[in-house]
Amino acid sequence: DGNLKTGVLEHEAGQLLNPAVLLVFNALNVLMADTEPAGPVPLFVHVRADYQLVVQTAGELYDRGKVSEVYLGGSEGEKRGDTVPGVIFQGYTFWENALMAKGSPQDKIHPTGPVFNTPDEHMEMIKLGQVLRWKELLIIGNPYHMLRIALGNLRFMKQEDFWMKCFFVTPKVSSWQVEVDGPQGTKDGVRYNQLWVELPRVIEYM
């Protein structure tokens, strides 16, 4: 949509964020998260540096009997082709400990192959689904990231001709004024600003 692209450019030039954008993101998240699996299914975690609410929600899902196993990126947060850990996210070990602290048992948490961005996570999800013959899957991520996760999910399942029933979950409460790190280790200010990091990427799927 040309108006949406123009809005993104205006924000980057220093204009104020239209509150309607936040309302749309929140509404889409509520609609996507309106259904849950009947029984325990695998949970795929999309990792970001902004982790607290995601691991808490994952623990709640496990406590309610919705999760059989937990999977997340197996790298330690290094950039592609580099070895310095904790740059693009805190790393598998950190996330494993955070998930355990919120109620996910260690023997239920598993690393995928290395991931350096969201498309890598989509491919790891597809490969695991094919090998383990998943039919249903819970997918969790941050509210500002979930729309792109869902659209990318559909694109990769179509590309690989492998389909699963996916349930998308985000934390039900999210403070938009908390300072968080952005993707690839960027410093983008408050969580509210992440909407503008995501919007140009979402447009790519339209």
Side-chain angles (χ1 to χ4, degrees), residues 52-124:
Q52 291 94 334
L53 294 176
V54 173
V55 297
Q56 178 178 324
T57 304
E60 292 168 356
L61 287 167
Y62 188 87
D63 288 343
R64 290 171 46 224
K66 300 298 181 180
V67 176
S68 58
E69 310 282 335
V70 181
Y71 297 84
L72 64 145
S75 49
E76 290 296 339
E78 67 275 15
K79 288 190 174 184
R80 194 186 306 276
D82 204 347
T83 59
V84 179
V87 177
I88 58 177
F89 75 105
Q90 295 90 341
Y92 174 81
T93 303
F94 178 96
W95 271 75
E96 180 187 42
N97 289 330
L99 286 161
M100 289 165 53
K102 294 299 182 180
S104 299
Q106 185 174 21
D107 63 348
K108 299 294 185 182
I109 306 172
H110 312 287
T112 71
V115 297
F116 306 103
N117 54 31
T118 302
D120 287 347
E121 291 177 305
H122 291 317
M123 275 310 305
E124 290 299 318

Coordinates of all heavy atoms in Angstrom, one line a residue, residues 52-124:
Q52 N 11.7 -11.2 27.9 CA 11.1 -11.5 29.1 C 9.6 -12.0 29.0 O 9.3 -13.0 29.6 CB 11.1 -10.3 30.1 CG 12.5 -9.9 30.5 CD 13.2 -8.8 29.6 OE1 12.8 -8.7 28.5 NE2 14.1 -8.1 30.2
L53 N 8.8 -11.3 28.3 CA 7.4 -11.6 28.2 C 7.2 -12.9 27.4 O 6.3 -13.7 27.6 CB 6.6 -10.5 27.5 CG 6.5 -9.2 28.3 CD1 5.8 -8.1 27.6 CD2 5.8 -9.4 29.7
V54 N 8.1 -13.2 26.4 CA 8.0 -14.4 25.6 C 8.2 -15.6 26.4 O 7.5 -16.6 26.4 CB 8.9 -14.3 24.4 CG1 8.9 -15.6 23.6 CG2 8.5 -13.2 23.5
V55 N 9.3 -15.6 27.2 CA 9.6 -16.8 28.0 C 8.5 -17.0 29.1 O 8.2 -18.2 29.5 CB 11.0 -16.8 28.6 CG1 12.1 -16.7 27.5 CG2 11.2 -15.6 29.6
Q56 N 8.0 -15.9 29.6 CA 6.9 -16.1 30.6 C 5.7 -16.7 30.0 O 5.1 -17.6 30.6 CB 6.6 -14.7 31.2 CG 5.4 -14.7 32.2 CD 5.1 -13.3 32.8 OE1 6.0 -12.5 33.0 NE2 3.9 -13.1 33.0
T57 N 5.3 -16.3 28.8 CA 4.1 -16.8 28.2 C 4.4 -18.3 27.8 O 3.5 -19.1 27.9 CB 3.8 -16.0 26.9 OG1 3.6 -14.6 27.3 CG2 2.5 -16.5 26.2
A58 N 5.6 -18.6 27.4 CA 5.9 -20.0 27.1 C 5.7 -20.9 28.3 O 5.2 -22.0 28.2 CB 7.4 -20.1 26.5
G59 N 6.2 -20.4 29.5 CA 6.0 -21.2 30.7 C 4.6 -21.4 31.0 O 4.1 -22.4 31.5
E60 N 3.8 -20.3 30.8 CA 2.3 -20.4 31.1 C 1.7 -21.5 30.2 O 0.8 -22.2 30.6 CB 1.7 -19.1 30.9 CG 2.1 -18.1 32.0 CD 1.7 -16.6 31.7 OE1 1.1 -16.4 30.6 OE2 1.9 -15.7 32.5
L61 N 2.0 -21.5 28.9 CA 1.5 -22.5 28.0 C 1.9 -23.9 28.4 O 1.1 -24.8 28.4 CB 2.0 -22.2 26.6 CG 1.4 -21.0 25.9 CD1 2.3 -20.7 24.6 CD2 0.0 -21.2 25.5
Y62 N 3.1 -24.1 28.9 CA 3.5 -25.4 29.3 C 2.7 -25.8 30.6 O 2.2 -27.0 30.6 CB 5.0 -25.4 29.6 CG 5.5 -26.8 29.9 CD1 5.9 -27.6 28.9 CD2 5.5 -27.3 31.2 CE1 6.4 -29.0 29.1 CE2 5.9 -28.6 31.5 CZ 6.4 -29.4 30.4 OH 6.8 -30.7 30.7
D63 N 2.6 -24.9 31.5 CA 1.8 -25.2 32.7 C 0.4 -25.6 32.4 O -0.2 -26.4 33.2 CB 1.8 -24.0 33.7 CG 3.2 -23.8 34.3 OD1 4.0 -24.7 34.3 OD2 3.4 -22.7 34.8
R64 N -0.2 -25.1 31.4 CA -1.6 -25.3 31.0 C -1.7 -26.6 30.1 O -2.8 -26.9 29.6 CB -2.2 -24.1 30.3 CG -2.4 -22.9 31.2 CD -2.8 -21.7 30.5 NE -3.8 -21.9 29.5 CZ -3.8 -21.4 28.3 NH1 -2.8 -20.7 27.9 NH2 -4.8 -21.7 27.5
G65 N -0.6 -27.3 29.9 CA -0.7 -28.5 29.1 C -0.8 -28.3 27.6 O -1.2 -29.3 26.9
K66 N -0.4 -27.2 27.1 CA -0.5 -26.9 25.7 C 0.8 -27.3 24.9 O 0.8 -27.3 23.7 CB -0.8 -25.5 25.4 CG -2.2 -25.0 26.0 CD -3.3 -25.8 25.4 CE -4.6 -25.4 26.0 NZ -5.8 -26.1 25.4
V67 N 1.9 -27.5 25.6 CA 3.2 -27.7 25.0 C 3.8 -29.0 25.3 O 3.9 -29.4 26.5 CB 4.2 -26.6 25.5 CG1 5.6 -26.8 24.9 CG2 3.7 -25.2 25.2
S68 N 4.3 -29.7 24.3 CA 4.9 -31.0 24.5 C 6.4 -30.8 24.5 O 7.1 -31.4 25.4 CB 4.6 -32.0 23.3 OG 4.9 -31.4 22.1
E69 N 7.0 -30.1 23.6 CA 8.5 -29.8 23.5 C 8.7 -28.4 23.1 O 7.8 -27.8 22.4 CB 9.1 -30.8 22.5 CG 8.8 -32.2 22.7 CD 9.6 -32.9 23.8 OE1 10.7 -32.4 24.1 OE2 9.1 -33.9 24.3
V70 N 9.8 -27.8 23.4 CA 10.1 -26.4 23.1 C 11.4 -26.4 22.2 O 12.4 -27.1 22.5 CB 10.4 -25.6 24.3 CG1 10.7 -24.1 23.9 CG2 9.2 -25.6 25.3
Y71 N 11.3 -25.6 21.1 CA 12.4 -25.5 20.1 C 12.7 -24.1 19.9 O 11.8 -23.3 19.7 CB 12.1 -26.2 18.8 CG 11.8 -27.7 18.9 CD1 10.6 -28.2 19.3 CD2 12.8 -28.6 18.7 CE1 10.3 -29.5 19.4 CE2 12.6 -30.0 18.8 CZ 11.4 -30.4 19.2 OH 11.1 -31.8 19.3
L72 N 14.0 -23.8 19.8 CA 14.5 -22.4 19.5 C 15.9 -22.5 18.9 O 16.6 -23.5 19.0 CB 14.5 -21.5 20.7 CG 15.5 -21.9 21.9 CD1 16.0 -20.6 22.5 CD2 14.7 -22.7 22.9
G73 N 16.3 -21.4 18.3 CA 17.5 -21.3 17.6 C 18.7 -21.7 18.4 O 18.9 -21.3 19.5
G74 N 19.5 -22.6 17.8 CA 20.6 -23.2 18.5 C 21.9 -22.5 18.5 O 22.9 -23.0 19.1
S75 N 22.0 -21.3 17.9 CA 23.2 -20.5 17.9 C 23.3 -19.7 19.2 O 22.3 -19.6 20.0 CB 23.3 -19.7 16.7 OG 22.1 -18.9 16.5
E76 N 24.4 -19.1 19.4 CA 24.6 -18.3 20.7 C 24.6 -16.8 20.4 O 25.2 -16.0 21.1 CB 26.0 -18.7 21.3 CG 25.9 -20.1 21.9 CD 24.9 -20.3 23.1 OE1 24.5 -19.3 23.7 OE2 24.5 -21.4 23.3
G77 N 23.8 -16.4 19.4 CA 23.6 -15.0 19.2 C 24.7 -14.3 18.3 O 24.7 -13.1 18.2
E78 N 25.6 -15.1 17.7 CA 26.6 -14.5 16.9 C 26.0 -14.1 15.5 O 25.0 -14.7 15.1 CB 27.8 -15.5 16.7 CG 27.4 -16.7 15.9 CD 26.8 -17.9 16.7 OE1 26.4 -17.6 17.9 OE2 26.7 -19.0 16.2
K79 N 26.6 -13.2 14.8 CA 26.2 -12.8 13.5 C 26.7 -13.9 12.5 O 27.7 -14.6 12.8 CB 26.7 -11.4 13.1 CG 26.0 -10.3 13.8 CD 26.4 -8.9 13.2 CE 25.6 -7.8 13.8 NZ 25.9 -6.5 13.1
R80 N 26.1 -14.0 11.4 CA 26.5 -15.0 10.4 C 27.9 -14.7 10.0 O 28.3 -13.6 9.7 CB 25.6 -14.9 9.2 CG 25.7 -16.1 8.2 CD 24.9 -15.9 6.9 NE 23.5 -15.5 7.2 CZ 22.5 -16.4 7.4 NH1 22.8 -17.7 7.5 NH2 21.3 -16.0 7.6
G81 N 28.7 -15.8 10.0 CA 30.1 -15.7 9.7 C 31.0 -15.2 10.8 O 32.2 -15.0 10.5
D82 N 30.5 -14.9 11.9 CA 31.3 -14.4 13.1 C 31.2 -15.4 14.2 O 30.5 -16.4 14.2 CB 30.8 -13.0 13.5 CG 31.8 -12.2 14.2 OD1 32.8 -12.7 14.5 OD2 31.6 -11.0 14.3
T83 N 32.0 -15.1 15.3 CA 32.0 -16.0 16.4 C 31.7 -15.3 17.7 O 31.7 -15.9 18.8 CB 33.4 -16.7 16.5 OG1 34.4 -15.7 16.7 CG2 33.7 -17.6 15.3
V84 N 31.5 -14.0 17.7 CA 31.2 -13.2 18.9 C 29.8 -13.5 19.4 O 28.8 -13.2 18.7 CB 31.4 -11.7 18.7 CG1 31.1 -11.0 20.0 CG2 32.8 -11.4 18.2
P85 N 29.6 -14.1 20.6 CA 28.3 -14.4 21.0 C 27.5 -13.2 21.5 O 28.0 -12.2 21.8 CB 28.5 -15.4 22.2 CG 29.8 -15.0 22.7 CD 30.6 -14.5 21.5
G86 N 26.1 -13.4 21.6 CA 25.3 -12.4 22.2 C 25.1 -11.1 21.5 O 24.8 -10.1 22.1
V87 N 25.3 -11.1 20.2 CA 25.2 -9.9 19.4 C 23.8 -9.6 18.9 O 23.2 -8.6 19.1 CB 26.2 -9.9 18.2 CG1 26.0 -8.6 17.4 CG2 27.6 -10.0 18.7
I88 N 23.2 -10.6 18.2 CA 21.9 -10.4 17.6 C 20.8 -10.9 18.5 O 19.7 -10.4 18.4 CB 21.8 -11.1 16.2 CG1 22.1 -12.6 16.3 CG2 22.7 -10.5 15.2 CD1 21.9 -13.3 15.0
F89 N 21.1 -11.8 19.4 CA 20.2 -12.1 20.6 C 21.1 -12.7 21.6 O 22.3 -12.9 21.4 CB 19.0 -12.9 20.2 CG 19.3 -14.4 19.9 CD1 19.0 -15.4 20.8 CD2 20.0 -14.8 18.7 CE1 19.3 -16.7 20.6 CE2 20.2 -16.1 18.5 CZ 19.9 -17.1 19.4
Q90 N 20.6 -13.0 22.8 CA 21.4 -13.4 23.9 C 22.0 -14.8 23.7 O 23.0 -15.1 24.4 CB 20.6 -13.4 25.2 CG 20.1 -12.1 25.7 CD 18.8 -11.7 25.1 OE1 18.3 -12.3 24.1 NE2 18.1 -10.7 25.7
G91 N 21.4 -15.6 22.9 CA 22.0 -17.0 22.6 C 21.1 -18.1 23.2 O 20.3 -17.8 24.1
Y92 N 21.3 -19.3 22.7 CA 20.5 -20.4 23.1 C 20.6 -20.7 24.6 O 19.6 -20.9 25.3 CB 20.9 -21.7 22.3 CG 20.2 -22.9 22.8 CD1 18.9 -23.2 22.4 CD2 20.8 -23.8 23.7 CE1 18.2 -24.3 22.9 CE2 20.1 -24.9 24.2 CZ 18.8 -25.1 23.8 OH 18.2 -26.2 24.3
T93 N 21.8 -20.7 25.1 CA 22.0 -21.0 26.5 C 21.3 -20.1 27.4 O 20.6 -20.5 28.4 CB 23.5 -21.0 26.9 OG1 24.2 -21.9 26.0 CG2 23.8 -21.4 28.3
F94 N 21.4 -18.8 27.1 CA 20.6 -17.8 27.9 C 19.1 -18.0 27.9 O 18.4 -18.0 28.9 CB 20.9 -16.4 27.4 CG 20.2 -15.3 28.1 CD1 20.8 -14.6 29.1 CD2 18.9 -14.9 27.8 CE1 20.2 -13.5 29.8 CE2 18.2 -13.9 28.4 CZ 18.9 -13.2 29.4
W95 N 18.6 -18.2 26.7 CA 17.2 -18.5 26.5 C 16.7 -19.8 27.2 O 15.7 -19.8 27.8 CB 16.8 -18.5 25.0 CG 16.5 -17.1 24.5 CD1 17.4 -16.1 24.2 CD2 15.2 -16.6 24.2 NE1 16.7 -15.0 23.8 CE2 15.4 -15.3 23.7 CE3 13.9 -17.1 24.3 CZ2 14.3 -14.5 23.4 CZ3 12.8 -16.3 23.9 CH2 13.1 -15.0 23.5
E96 N 17.6 -20.8 27.1 CA 17.2 -22.1 27.8 C 17.1 -21.8 29.3 O 16.1 -22.3 29.9 CB 18.3 -23.1 27.5 CG 18.1 -24.4 28.2 CD 19.2 -25.4 28.0 OE1 20.4 -24.9 28.2 OE2 19.0 -26.6 27.8
N97 N 18.0 -21.1 29.9 CA 17.9 -20.8 31.3 C 16.7 -20.0 31.6 O 16.0 -20.2 32.7 CB 19.2 -20.1 31.8 CG 20.4 -21.1 31.8 OD1 20.2 -22.3 32.0 ND2 21.6 -20.5 31.6
A98 N 16.4 -19.0 30.8 CA 15.3 -18.1 31.0 C 14.0 -18.9 30.9 O 13.0 -18.7 31.7 CB 15.3 -17.0 30.0
L99 N 13.9 -19.8 29.9 CA 12.7 -20.6 29.8 C 12.5 -21.6 31.0 O 11.4 -21.7 31.5 CB 12.8 -21.5 28.5 CG 12.5 -20.7 27.2 CD1 13.1 -21.5 26.0 CD2 11.0 -20.4 27.0
M100 N 13.6 -22.1 31.5 CA 13.6 -23.0 32.6 C 13.1 -22.2 33.9 O 12.3 -22.7 34.7 CB 14.9 -23.6 32.9 CG 15.3 -24.7 31.9 SD 17.1 -25.1 31.9 CE 17.3 -25.5 33.6
A101 N 13.6 -21.0 34.0 CA 13.2 -20.2 35.2 C 11.7 -19.9 35.2 O 11.1 -19.6 36.3 CB 14.0 -18.9 35.2
K102 N 11.0 -19.9 34.0 CA 9.6 -19.7 33.9 C 8.8 -21.0 33.8 O 7.6 -20.9 33.5 CB 9.3 -18.7 32.8 CG 9.9 -17.3 33.0 CD 9.3 -16.6 34.2 CE 9.9 -15.2 34.4 NZ 9.3 -14.5 35.5
G103 N 9.4 -22.1 34.0 CA 8.6 -23.3 34.1 C 8.8 -24.4 33.0 O 8.2 -25.4 33.1
S104 N 9.5 -24.1 32.0 CA 9.7 -25.1 31.0 C 10.9 -26.0 31.4 O 12.0 -25.6 31.6 CB 10.1 -24.4 29.6 OG 9.0 -23.6 29.2
P105 N 10.6 -27.3 31.5 CA 11.7 -28.3 31.9 C 12.8 -28.4 30.9 O 12.6 -28.3 29.7 CB 11.0 -29.6 32.0 CG 9.5 -29.3 32.1 CD 9.3 -28.0 31.3
Q106 N 14.1 -28.5 31.5 CA 15.2 -28.5 30.6 C 15.2 -29.7 29.6 O 15.6 -29.5 28.4 CB 16.5 -28.7 31.4 CG 17.8 -28.5 30.6 CD 19.0 -28.5 31.5 OE1 19.0 -28.9 32.6 NE2 20.1 -28.0 30.9
D107 N 14.7 -30.8 30.0 CA 14.7 -32.0 29.0 C 13.6 -31.8 27.9 O 13.6 -32.6 27.0 CB 14.4 -33.3 29.8 CG 13.1 -33.4 30.5 OD1 12.4 -32.3 30.6 OD2 12.7 -34.5 30.9
K108 N 12.8 -30.7 28.0 CA 11.8 -30.5 27.0 C 12.2 -29.3 26.0 O 11.5 -29.0 25.1 CB 10.5 -30.1 27.6 CG 9.9 -31.2 28.5 CD 9.5 -32.4 27.7 CE 8.8 -33.5 28.5 NZ 8.4 -34.7 27.7
I109 N 13.4 -28.7 26.3 CA 13.9 -27.6 25.5 C 15.0 -28.1 24.6 O 16.0 -28.7 25.0 CB 14.4 -26.5 26.4 CG1 13.4 -26.1 27.4 CG2 14.8 -25.3 25.6 CD1 13.9 -25.1 28.5
H110 N 14.9 -27.8 23.3 CA 15.8 -28.3 22.3 C 16.3 -27.2 21.3 O 15.5 -26.4 20.9 CB 15.1 -29.4 21.4 CG 14.4 -30.4 22.3 ND1 15.1 -31.4 23.0 CD2 13.1 -30.6 22.5 CE1 14.2 -32.2 23.7 NE2 13.0 -31.7 23.3
P111 N 17.6 -27.3 21.0 CA 18.1 -26.3 20.0 C 17.8 -26.8 18.5 O 17.9 -28.0 18.2 CB 19.6 -26.3 20.2 CG 19.9 -27.7 20.7 CD 18.7 -28.1 21.5
T112 N 17.5 -25.8 17.7 CA 17.5 -26.1 16.2 C 18.9 -25.9 15.7 O 19.9 -25.8 16.5 CB 16.6 -25.2 15.5 OG1 17.1 -23.8 15.5 CG2 15.2 -25.1 16.2
G113 N 19.1 -25.9 14.4 CA 20.4 -25.5 13.8 C 20.6 -24.0 14.1 O 19.7 -23.3 14.6
P114 N 21.7 -23.5 13.7 CA 22.0 -22.0 13.9 C 21.0 -21.1 13.2 O 20.5 -21.5 12.1 CB 23.4 -21.8 13.3 CG 24.0 -23.2 13.3 CD 22.9 -24.1 13.1
V115 N 20.6 -20.0 13.8 CA 19.7 -19.1 13.2 C 20.3 -17.7 13.3 O 20.8 -17.3 14.4 CB 18.3 -19.1 13.8 CG1 17.6 -20.4 13.6 CG2 18.3 -18.8 15.3
F116 N 20.2 -16.9 12.3 CA 20.8 -15.6 12.2 C 19.7 -14.5 11.9 O 20.0 -13.3 11.9 CB 22.0 -15.5 11.3 CG 23.0 -16.6 11.5 CD1 23.1 -17.7 10.7 CD2 23.9 -16.4 12.6 CE1 24.0 -18.7 11.0 CE2 24.8 -17.4 12.9 CZ 24.9 -18.5 12.1
N117 N 18.5 -14.9 11.5 CA 17.5 -14.0 11.2 C 16.2 -14.8 11.2 O 16.1 -16.0 11.3 CB 17.7 -13.3 9.9 CG 18.0 -14.2 8.7 OD1 17.5 -15.3 8.7 ND2 18.8 -13.8 7.8
T118 N 15.1 -14.1 10.9 CA 13.7 -14.7 10.9 C 13.6 -15.8 9.8 O 13.0 -16.9 10.1 CB 12.6 -13.7 10.8 OG1 12.8 -12.7 11.9 CG2 11.2 -14.3 10.9
P119 N 14.0 -15.5 8.6 CA 14.0 -16.6 7.6 C 14.7 -17.9 8.0 O 14.2 -19.0 7.7 CB 14.6 -15.9 6.3 CG 14.3 -14.5 6.5 CD 14.5 -14.2 8.0
D120 N 15.8 -17.7 8.7 CA 16.5 -19.0 9.1 C 15.6 -19.7 10.1 O 15.6 -21.0 10.1 CB 17.8 -18.6 9.9 CG 18.9 -18.1 9.0 OD1 18.8 -18.3 7.8 OD2 19.9 -17.5 9.5
E121 N 14.9 -19.0 10.9 CA 14.0 -19.7 11.9 C 12.9 -20.4 11.1 O 12.5 -21.5 11.5 CB 13.4 -18.7 12.9 CG 14.5 -18.1 13.8 CD 13.9 -17.1 14.8 OE1 13.4 -16.1 14.3 OE2 14.1 -17.2 16.0
H122 N 12.3 -19.8 10.1 CA 11.3 -20.4 9.3 C 11.8 -21.7 8.7 O 11.1 -22.8 8.7 CB 10.8 -19.5 8.2 CG 10.1 -18.3 8.6 ND1 9.1 -18.4 9.6 CD2 10.1 -17.0 8.2 CE1 8.6 -17.2 9.8 NE2 9.2 -16.3 9.0
M123 N 13.0 -21.7 8.2 CA 13.6 -22.9 7.5 C 13.8 -24.0 8.6 O 13.6 -25.2 8.3 CB 14.8 -22.6 6.8 CG 14.6 -22.1 5.4 SD 13.5 -23.1 4.3 CE 14.2 -24.7 4.4
E124 N 14.3 -23.6 9.7 CA 14.6 -24.6 10.8 C 13.2 -25.2 11.2 O 13.2 -26.4 11.5 CB 15.3 -24.0 12.0 CG 16.7 -23.6 11.7 CD 17.6 -24.8 11.4 OE1 17.4 -25.9 12.0 OE2 18.4 -24.7 10.4

